[in-house]
């Protein structure tokens, strides 16, 4: 059993691992940059548990943290909840790979589903190779069979075989499908995680391949979720940062897995990500019934 953490008075916190966001982006701030190289892309089981003990007293309902290379830490933020929750993830990657490393940004959904209070994980906005052959061979099939795992990818990003395998969506029908999904969540408690790589490259700058959502799409989807269910908590990650690693193994794995992207202009990246942060964070953390302008 995981112990309930001591909650800070703040409802949101910036866990700064890599300088990806301004320090004052949320109501509380925790400087964890010394941990960043140790945890980036992948981490050892010992490293994860040591970081958890360090960060546990600082945890809050909503967490802002760094690059999508740290998305596996969402499985730690989820430990603070005790009542059943359903994860809704907006991400260009499903993060469901069953291969090692066990603690990795591409495997974290499996770690989250191991928590006794996590009912299900549903990923919206995938458009990456993991859903095509041979990537789909490494999905958590038990979770799929048990209906603990569901994915809604962009059909146009799939090969013909992938379109037969997965329920998909298009720009024309995704809102209709998402509304029907939200209605099925009526009365549930949700944990919503947003990785900025779910957005198009016009909307954000990240360390990964990017999806097709706009910021306005995410705002609309959050409104749909709040109209049907309650948010237990959530997080936002995915802003670009320069990679640094503690271990040689991390560096090699990350280099193999990451796409080759064009050089990032820091000022342009900050502007795009800043706009996304201001709008999405406000909508994610808004109190029920509070309009987000």
């Amino acid at each position: 059993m995981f112990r309930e953490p001591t909650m800070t008075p703040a409802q949101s916190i910036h866990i700064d691992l890599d300088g990806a966001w301004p320090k004052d982006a949320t109501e509380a701030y925790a400087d964890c940059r010394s941990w960043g190289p140790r945890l980036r892309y992948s981490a050892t089981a010992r490293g994860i548990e040591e970081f958890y003990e360090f960060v546990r007293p600082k945890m809050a309902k909503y967490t802002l943290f760094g690059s999508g290379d740290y998305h596996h830490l969402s499985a730690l933020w989820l430990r603070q909840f005790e009542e059943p929750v359903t994860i809704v993830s907006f991400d260009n990657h499903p993060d469901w790979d069953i291969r090692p490393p066990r603690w990795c940004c591409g495997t974290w959904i499996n770690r989250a589903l191991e928590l006794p209070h996590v009912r299900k994980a549903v990923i919206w906005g995938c458009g990456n190779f993991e859903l095509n052959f041979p990537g789909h061979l490494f999905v958590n099939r038990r979770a799929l069979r048990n209906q603990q795992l569901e994915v809604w990818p962009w059909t146009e990003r799939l090969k013909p075989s992938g379109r037969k395998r997965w329920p998909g969506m298009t720009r024309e029908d995704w809102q209709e499908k998402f509304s029907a999904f939200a209605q099925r969540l009526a009365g549930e408690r949700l944990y919503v995680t947003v990785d900025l790589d779910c957005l198009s490259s016009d909307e954000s700058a990240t360390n990964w391949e990017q999806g097709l959502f706009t910021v306005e799409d995410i705002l609309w989807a959050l409104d749909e979720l709040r109209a049907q269910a309650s948010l237990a908590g959530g997080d936002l990650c995915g802003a670009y940062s320069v990679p640094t690693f503690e271990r040689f193994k991390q560096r090699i794995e990350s280099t193999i897995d990451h796409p080759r992207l064009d050089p990032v202009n820091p000022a342009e990246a900050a502007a795009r990500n800043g706009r996304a942060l201001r709008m999405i964070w406000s909508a994610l953390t808004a109190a029920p019934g509070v309009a987000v302008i």
Side-chain angles (χ1 to χ4, degrees):
M1 289 290 293
F2 296 118
R3 291 173 291 171
E4 180 73 8
T6 302
M7 298 293 287
T8 64
Q11 288 295 295
S12 66
I13 190 166
H14 174 194
I15 303 292
D16 188 0
L17 297 151
D18 57 353
W21 302 107
K23 290 183 179 180
D24 60 354
T26 66
E27 58 180 318
Y29 174 80
D31 188 348
C32 298
R33 287 173 293 177
S34 64
W35 289 89
R38 186 178 181 185
L39 301 172
R40 187 159 193 144
Y41 180 76
S42 66
T44 64
R46 177 179 178 180
I48 281 289
E49 296 306 326
E50 288 177 352
F51 175 68
Y52 177 62
E53 288 304 313
F54 171 80
V55 81
R56 188 166 59 90
K58 304 173 177 60
M59 289 166 67
K61 185 176 179 181
Y62 295 99
T63 308
L64 177 70
F65 59 121
S67 163
D69 288 357
Y70 296 99
H71 206 170
H72 44 300
L73 301 183
S74 290
L76 295 186
W77 316 146
L78 277 155
R79 289 183 180 183
Q80 68 187 282
F81 303 101
E82 292 185 331
E83 295 183 19
V85 295
T86 294
I87 299 170
V88 180
S89 177
F90 296 95
D91 200 328
N92 190 44
H93 306 79
D95 295 343
W96 58 17
D97 203 308
I98 58 173
R99 294 172 293 179
R102 179 175 172 81
W103 281 97
C104 177
C105 59
T107 65
W108 79 268
I109 285 287
N110 300 314
R111 305 292 77 76
L113 290 176
E114 291 169 355
L115 297 172
H117 56 282
V118 173
R119 297 180 58 254
K120 184 174 184 175
V122 187
I123 306 111
W124 284 84
C126 293
N128 215 38
F129 64 88
E130 289 98 335
L131 279 75
N132 291 313
F133 181 85
H136 76 87
L137 298 176
F138 306 108
V139 65
N140 185 336
R141 297 189 179 280
R142 176 180 294 181
L144 284 174
R145 287 195 302 269
N146 294 341
Q147 298 184 327
Q148 287 183 290
L149 191 54
E150 186 178 327
V151 61
W152 288 89
W154 295 110
T155 300
E156 64 192 82
R157 293 284 184 91
L158 299 179
K159 295 178 181 178
S161 60
R163 295 174 189 172
K164 294 179 181 179
R165 187 173 297 109
W166 309 108
M169 60 183 183
T170 66
R171 290 300 306 173
E172 289 72 30
D173 68 11
W174 85 269
Q175 288 191 342
E176 176 184 352
K177 292 185 176 182
F178 193 89
S179 288
F181 162 73
Q183 290 171 19
R184 296 199 302 271
L185 298 175
E188 291 193 24
R189 286 166 50 87
L190 309 179
Y191 185 92
V192 177
T193 177
V194 181
D195 188 329
L196 285 193
D197 72 21
C198 76
L199 304 177
S200 71
S201 57
D202 292 334
E203 301 273 303
S204 66
T206 79
N207 291 91
W208 292 90
E209 310 96 333
Q210 296 195 220
L212 300 178
F213 279 130
T214 66
V215 170
E216 287 72 18
D217 288 337
I218 301 301
L219 302 185
W220 177 87
L222 289 172
D223 281 344
E224 289 291 298
L225 294 176
R226 285 188 179 278
Q228 301 293 337
S230 62
L231 267 63
D235 64 53
L236 174 64
C237 68
Y240 175 83
S241 66
V242 177
T244 57
F245 304 96
E246 180 182 82
R247 302 182 310 282
F248 180 72
K249 183 173 182 287
Q250 280 173 287
R251 184 184 302 277
I252 293 300
E253 290 170 338
S254 175
T255 299
I256 293 172
D257 199 19
H258 275 78
R260 297 185 182 275
L261 302 175
D262 294 333
V264 173
N265 181 302
E268 292 179 1
R272 273 179 282 165
N273 292 339
R275 174 182 179 270
L277 171 64
R278 288 190 299 273
M279 299 181 72
I280 296 174
W281 189 250
S282 295
L284 180 64
T285 61
V290 175
V292 178
I293 300 175

